[in-house]
């Protein structure tokens, strides 16, 4: 890792520009739409923490997103929690759920991991269908946006947008710090070659579990925040389709990149907004985008741009970021070639 | 009225029957998944959607060209198997050398496309498909006097069609088992599962074998779909719920063995049915709970050879 000051400054400058743009954006576009994009972007970024950096494909992230949404809605509406407390409550419950599901799911790997997470999430879905506090098909409606710290009203669309932006930035900074920490490096090494990481003395299961919990917690934070934007928590948030959507957002934007999930979420949310009138076509188009991404566009948008950029500058390509799980994301032959290339350079 | 474990016997037997019927579908579907997993190493997420397509093909055959239930039971699986082989040849084969998660993601996309298309044209309310005349009616099953010790007691009403579903799925499961374990073709498939390169070296067209296997697995799903059509109405969303349950069953049983897939399918169907009698609120989640317990006690699955 290069830690020279100029690149750090460049990073901060880019970050400052991005934040400035996000602050100015609601004056151009509808704030509620933007807040929705930010919630899903945080959700996808949390999911990508697990898929992109730990190589674990979870098909059950809707459970964290949706269940946290119910908790946040219930505490805000029935118990009169302030918005930040409601979000903290939802996030904490998602963390607990993450511990429970994670302990079970990491006992299996690869496709079994995906199936186990999907099945456990479906169990959460049925619990939400039957539990009285979720109000079944109606969901929890009319959740008040409330007063931030009990003082500042979030009723106006601008206020809620800036509140969501703050939550989003906290989430993204946590993810960025995690990925660029020693912990993140170990995660990547487990993704690349688990037996080797274990032989070096790392407790791979513990690292994977921690990554799972962190990802679940942040997904819960996104879900809790979404409730305050739409004043609604419903079964849609916990349904398996939601788990599929977040996979799609991440794939389309670029697995294992910081910006990818954010770009992917923006595109999918925009698409849903414009396609809402034509009903079932959304499902078909999402399916087709899935097929297209898997067959021809495995790097995703951001991944593809990075790929061309490094090629243009004659830099070393980064083949490791192609697939859901680095070493296995490539064919064995490619992985061998990549290692040979690394050794040569 | 005779009681069994504190519930009326007809109620218990009725739920047991529903459990066996659901178990039949679970068994046929997880059998197909296990077959496909063996040779392609992917979990076919589109399996539920193709089960739904099987039911729809039977419906459309009847609606537009007047083909009845019995021919449809043969024709629909063949049509869907052909469709599946096209999918394998043109969409899944390019992914064969990549991570197997890509296969899962691709078939997930296909499932969305299939479900979305049928929802677009037929809505979600479900279309009726009537029971064939030859299987209408029901049998009154009585408990014989040597058990009750007095007069024969009413045990349950067994609709003929439901009995047929159980028999048909037992037949198809046994036939597939014999095909895999006892025939030359099955031996080749098992060999290709173990070591495709070696089988290829013997001059066997392994890619063709893979395509056929996918077709067979998908055909089984469509067969289950036709069987299900008269029981549940033909509905675009019938596949998406059942596939998640079947995934849980596959995690419980392990994808390693054909017999294991069949046994765990029936077993969990029955467990689900019995739960409905004693604790109805939990019937939707009981299979997932069993899965969680199996993961704790025996992570590789009941019949699995390891994760």
């Amino acid at each position: 890792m290069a830690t020279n000051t100029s690149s750090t400054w460049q990073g901060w400058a880019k970050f400052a520009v991005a934040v400035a743009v996000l602050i100015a954006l609601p004056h151009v576009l509808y704030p509620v739409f933007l807040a929705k994009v930010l919630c899903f972007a945080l959700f996808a970024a949390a999911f990508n923490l697990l898929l992109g950096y730990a190589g674990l494909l979870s098909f059950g992230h809707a459970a964290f997103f949706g269940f946290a949404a119910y908790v946040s809605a219930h505490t805000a509406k029935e118990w009169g929690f302030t918005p930040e407390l409601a979000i903290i409550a939802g996030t904490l419950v998602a963390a607990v759920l993450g511990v429970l599901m994670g302990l079970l799911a990491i006992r299996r790997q690869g496709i079994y991991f995906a199936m186990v997470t999907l099945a456990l999430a479906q169990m959460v879905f049925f619990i939400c269908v039957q539990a009285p506090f979720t109000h079944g098909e109606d969901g929890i409606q009319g959740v008040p946006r409330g007063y931030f710290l009990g003082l500042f009203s979030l009723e106006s669309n601008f206020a809620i947008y800036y509140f969501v932006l703050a939550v989003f930035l906290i989430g993204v900074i946590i993810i960025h710090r995690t990925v660029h920490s020693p912990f993140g490096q170990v995660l990547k090494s487990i993704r690349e070659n688990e037996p080797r990481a274990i032989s070096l003395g790392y407790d791979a299961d513990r690292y994977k579990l921690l990554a799972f919990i962190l990802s679940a917690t942040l997904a819960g934070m996104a879900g809790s925040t979404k409730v305050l934007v739409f004043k609604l928590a419903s079964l849609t948030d916990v349904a398996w389709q939601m788990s599929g959507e977040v996979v799609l957002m991440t794939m389309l934007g670029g697995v294992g990149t910081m910006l990818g999930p954010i770009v992917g979420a923006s595109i999918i949310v925009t698409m849903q907004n414009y396609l809402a009138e034509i009903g079932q076509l959304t499902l078909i188009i999402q399916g087709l985008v899935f097929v297209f991404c898997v067959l021809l566009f495995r790097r995703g948008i951001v991944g593809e741009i990075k790929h061309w950029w490094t090629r243009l500058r004659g830099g070393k390509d980064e083949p490791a970021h192609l697939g859901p799980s680095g070493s296995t994301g490539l064919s064995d032959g490619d992985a061998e070639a990549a290692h040979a290339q690394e050794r040569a350079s | 009225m005779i009681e069994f474990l504190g519930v009326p016997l007809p109620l218990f037997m009725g739920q047991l029957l529903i459990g066996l019927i659901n178990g039949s579908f679970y068994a046929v579907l997880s059998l197909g998944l296990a077959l496909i997993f063996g040779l392609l190493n992917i979990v076919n997420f589109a399996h539920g959607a193709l089960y739904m397509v099987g039911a729809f093909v039977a419906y459309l055959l009847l609606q537009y060209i007047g083909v009845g239930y019995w021919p449809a039971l043969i024709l629909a699986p063949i049509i869907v198997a052909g469709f599946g082989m096209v999918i394998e040849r043109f969409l899944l084969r390019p992914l064969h050398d990549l991570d197997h998660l890509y296969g899962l993601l691709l078939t997930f996309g296909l499932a969305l496309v299939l479900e979305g298309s049928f929802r677009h044209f037929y809505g979600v309310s479900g279309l009726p498909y009537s029971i064939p005349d030859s299987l209408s009616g029901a049998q009154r099953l009585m408990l014989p006097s040597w058990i009750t010790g007095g007069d024969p007691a009413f045990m349950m009403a067994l609709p003929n069609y439901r009995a047929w579903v159980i028999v048909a799925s037992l037949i198809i499961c046994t036939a597939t088992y014999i095909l895999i374990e006892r025939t030359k073709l099955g031996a080749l498939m098992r060999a290709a599962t173990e070591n495709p390169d070696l089988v290829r070296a013997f001059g066997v067209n392994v890619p063709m074998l893979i395509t056929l296997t996918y077709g067979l697995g998908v055909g089984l799903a469509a067969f289950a779909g036709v069987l299900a059509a008269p029981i549940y109405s033909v509905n675009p969303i019938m596949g998406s719920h059942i596939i998640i349950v079947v995934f849980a069953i596959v995690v419980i049983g392990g994808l390693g063995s054909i017999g294991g897939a069949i046994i765990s399918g029936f077993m969990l169907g029955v467990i689900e049915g019995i739960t409905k009698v004693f604790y109805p609120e939990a019937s939707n989640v009981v299979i997932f709970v069993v899965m969680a317990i199996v993961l704790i006690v025996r992570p590789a699955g009941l019949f699995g050879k390891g994760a």
Side-chain angles (χ1 to χ4, degrees):
Chain A
M1 287 262 306
T3 47
N4 61 61
T5 33
S6 73
S7 77
T8 318
W9 276 112
Q10 263 186 9
W12 278 111
K14 278 184 199 162
F15 183 70
V17 171
V19 171
V21 169
L22 285 172
I23 289 174
L25 218 49
H27 298 279
V28 185
L29 292 165
Y30 184 49
V32 172
F33 165 75
L34 290 173
K36 182 181 180 189
V37 170
L38 287 183
C39 289
F40 279 96
L42 178 58
F43 184 25
F47 170 81
N48 182 46
L49 179 64
L50 194 60
L51 176 60
Y53 298 100
L56 295 169
L57 172 61
S58 157
F59 244 104
H61 258 49
F64 311 121
F65 183 81
F67 200 74
Y70 275 123
V71 170
S72 151
H74 186 75
T75 52
K77 190 182 174 189
E78 307 289 338
W79 298 355
F81 276 28
T82 53
E84 70 285 352
L85 283 181
I87 289 177
I88 290 170
T91 310
L92 285 180
V93 171
V96 173
L97 200 57
V99 174
L100 296 176
M101 272 174 72
L103 278 173
L104 288 170
I106 57 158
R107 298 174 80 90
R108 302 297 289 268
Q109 294 171 347
I111 36 181
Y112 280 104
F113 180 87
M115 289 194 290
V116 169
T117 45
L118 177 66
L120 291 172
Q122 189 71 356
M123 186 164 139
V124 173
F125 173 80
F126 279 120
I127 291 170
C128 289
V129 170
Q130 278 168 348
F133 87 98
T134 59
H135 300 284
E137 294 285 335
D138 295 337
I140 305 179
Q141 300 178 4
V143 179
R145 283 178 183 169
Y147 291 83
F148 177 55
L149 297 174
L151 300 170
F152 310 102
S153 168
L154 295 180
E155 265 324 301
S156 92
N157 288 341
F158 275 97
I160 195 73
Y161 171 79
Y162 289 116
F163 179 73
V164 172
L165 178 60
V167 175
F168 169 78
L169 289 175
I170 293 170
V172 168
I173 289 168
I174 293 174
I175 292 169
H176 189 265
R177 277 309 308 150
T178 308
V179 169
H180 295 97
S181 69
F183 172 75
Q185 296 298 324
V186 176
L187 271 189
K188 278 182 239 175
S189 80
I190 293 171
R191 179 194 70 185
E192 298 299 329
N193 193 334
E194 187 168 340
R196 193 183 289 173
I198 293 172
S199 79
L200 287 172
Y202 292 111
D203 185 349
D205 277 356
R206 221 185 84 224
Y207 279 89
K208 286 199 274 188
L209 180 62
L210 271 177
F212 191 87
I213 296 168
L214 190 59
S215 173
T217 309
L218 291 168
M221 189 158 105
S224 321
T225 312
K226 195 225 76 165
V227 164
L228 298 177
V229 178
F230 291 100
K231 308 177 175 186
L232 169 76
S234 70
L235 287 175
T236 323
D237 302 331
V238 270
W240 62 269
Q241 287 91 340
M242 186 60 87
S243 299
E245 254 169 47
V246 76
V247 181
L248 181 59
M249 288 169 182
T250 310
M251 289 265 309
L252 181 62
V255 176
T257 60
M258 281 308 290
L259 272 181
I262 298 167
V263 173
S266 318
I267 293 172
I268 298 289
V269 172
T270 311
M271 195 185 88
Q272 285 169 344
N273 249 35
Y274 285 102
L275 295 181
E277 310 88 87
I278 40 179
Q280 306 307 339
L281 283 184
T282 325
L283 207 57
I284 304 177
I285 291 170
Q286 281 187 3
L288 290 175
V289 175
F290 242 110
V291 172
F292 170 73
C293 281
V294 171
L295 281 179
L296 303 167
F297 204 63
R298 284 187 286 271
R299 284 191 182 95
I301 294 168
V302 173
E304 200 70 41
I305 292 170
K306 267 176 90 174
H307 172 68
W308 286 108
W309 184 242
T310 40
R311 273 194 145 186
L312 261 177
R313 307 209 322 185
K316 195 165 65 102
D317 211 357
E318 291 182 29
H321 290 291
L322 293 186
S325 52
S327 61
T328 41
L330 298 154
S331 69
D332 287 338
D334 283 358
E336 286 298 300
H339 287 305
Q341 198 186 340
E342 266 167 42
R343 278 194 296 272
S345 60
Chain B
M1 179 140 329
I2 291 195
E3 295 209 339
F4 179 79
L5 295 177
V7 289
L9 188 62
L11 172 71
F12 181 82
M13 295 305 287
Q15 291 299 343
L16 190 67
L17 176 69
I18 291 175
L20 268 177
I21 289 179
N22 286 334
S24 308
F25 296 128
Y26 297 157
V28 177
L29 288 173
S30 51
L31 172 63
L33 278 181
L35 276 180
I36 293 172
F37 181 77
L39 266 187
L40 284 87
N41 262 314
I42 63 160
V43 172
N44 185 29
F45 217 125
H47 218 65
L50 291 162
Y51 157 85
M52 176 271 290
V53 172
F56 259 98
V57 170
Y59 171 82
L60 295 175
L61 282 174
L62 182 69
Q63 204 67 22
Y64 292 106
I65 43 178
V67 174
Y69 175 82
W70 295 105
L73 197 56
I74 311 286
L75 274 177
I78 292 174
I79 293 169
V80 176
F83 177 59
M85 287 197 270
V86 173
I87 292 174
E88 198 286 328
R89 176 64 190 83
F90 294 102
L91 297 179
L92 288 173
R93 192 176 292 181
L95 299 175
H96 198 74
D97 292 329
L98 296 174
D99 189 305
H100 306 312
L101 289 176
Y102 282 124
L104 181 79
L105 292 170
L106 182 102
T107 50
F108 177 73
L110 283 177
L112 291 186
V113 173
L114 288 172
E115 191 183 312
S117 311
F118 280 95
R119 277 167 78 157
H120 183 64
F121 290 109
Y122 297 96
V124 287
S125 49
L127 306 160
Y129 189 93
S130 54
I131 293 173
D133 292 338
S134 45
L135 288 175
S136 58
Q139 308 297 320
R140 268 177 73 86
L141 298 188
M142 308 298 280
L143 220 52
S145 49
W146 57 267
I147 295 180
T148 58
D151 293 327
F154 175 67
M155 186 165 68
M156 68 182 302
L158 175 64
N160 291 345
Y161 186 77
R162 295 187 175 225
W164 157 246
V165 168
I166 298 172
V167 173
S169 47
L170 281 174
I171 292 173
I172 202 82
C173 285
T174 316
T176 314
Y177 186 81
I178 291 171
L179 174 75
I180 303 295
E181 300 289 339
R182 297 280 180 271
T183 66
K184 178 96 192 305
L185 182 67
L188 281 179
M189 282 164 69
R190 278 179 290 138
T193 307
E194 292 292 324
N195 192 336
D197 293 332
L198 196 64
V199 175
R200 194 176 292 196
F202 282 125
V204 176
N205 187 345
V206 174
M208 174 67 103
L209 202 60
I210 291 177
T211 309
L212 280 176
T213 307
Y214 192 78
L216 178 62
V218 160
L220 284 171
F223 182 82
V226 183
L227 276 184
I231 295 187
Y232 317 114
S233 58
V234 179
N235 193 319
I237 55 174
M238 66 195 275
S240 54
H241 169 58
I242 202 168
I243 191 62
I244 301 177
V245 176
V246 171
F247 275 2
I249 291 171
V250 156
V251 172
I252 294 168
L255 280 169
S257 88
I258 300 291
I262 300 172
I263 295 169
S264 28
F266 276 104
M267 195 174 70
L268 285 148
V270 169
I271 291 177
E272 195 183 36
I274 293 174
T275 311
K276 220 169 264 173
V277 181
F278 295 103
Y279 190 47
E281 292 81 8
S283 61
N284 275 330
V285 295
V286 65
I287 289 181
F288 304 121
V289 174
V290 174
M291 182 190 81
I293 295 170
V294 168
L295 280 172
I296 293 168
V297 180
R298 210 181 132 79
L302 296 181
F303 305 90
K305 301 172 196 162

